[in-house]
Amino acid sequence: MDELISVIVPVYNAEEYIKRCVGSIQNQTYSHFELILVNDGSRDNSLALCQAPAAQDERIVVLDRPNGGASAARNTGLAHMRGQVVVFADSDDYVSPSYLENLH
């Protein structure tokens, strides 16, 4: 069995970018991953935009916390991850389809 990769993304007021970020991670050629989206007290529609794909894709976990900054959000993700490998992305990032496969 392939190793589970945990992808942790802190999200803060990212409604302009988060769909592209999530979509690029969902479309990986290496599919044995969990995507942990940590909403860090966003004041825009980011939380709802994270919850929508999570309702359709069991690999996506959404955590919601009061604003504490990107490092605190990453630490929250680390506390909930199940993978043997972790990688971080920012909410305005998008990755190539082979990103996780190349990492693995």
Side-chain angles (χ1 to χ4, degrees):
M1 175 58 95
D2 291 327
E3 291 177 306
L4 179 66
I5 298 175
S6 296
V7 182
I8 298 173
V9 179
V11 178
Y12 179 74
N13 292 344
E15 68 183 2
E16 185 176 341
Y17 311 106
I18 194 63
K19 281 183 172 180
R20 184 176 182 185
C21 175
V22 170
S24 74
I25 295 168
Q26 282 181 292
N27 292 319
Q28 291 296 296
T29 56
Y30 184 90
S31 62
H32 194 57
F33 67 86
E34 65 175 349
L35 172 56
I36 302 173
L37 301 169
V38 184
N39 183 59
D40 191 40
S42 294
R43 296 180 182 169
D44 64 3
N45 201 30
S46 292
L47 179 59
L49 292 172
C50 291
Q51 291 169 328
Q56 303 297 319
D57 189 336
E58 63 186 18
R59 299 173 300 179
I60 301 175
V61 175
V62 178
L63 304 173
D64 190 26
R65 54 165 284 121
N67 182 257
S71 294
R74 286 184 186 99
N75 288 336
T76 297
L78 286 169
H80 289 85
M81 67 176 263
R82 297 177 299 124
Q84 293 81 33
V85 177
V86 64
V87 63
F88 297 102
D90 291 327
S91 57
D92 60 349
D93 291 343
Y94 59 95
V95 296
S96 71
S98 61
Y99 177 67
L100 295 179
E101 183 176 1
N102 291 337
L103 173 70
H104 183 257

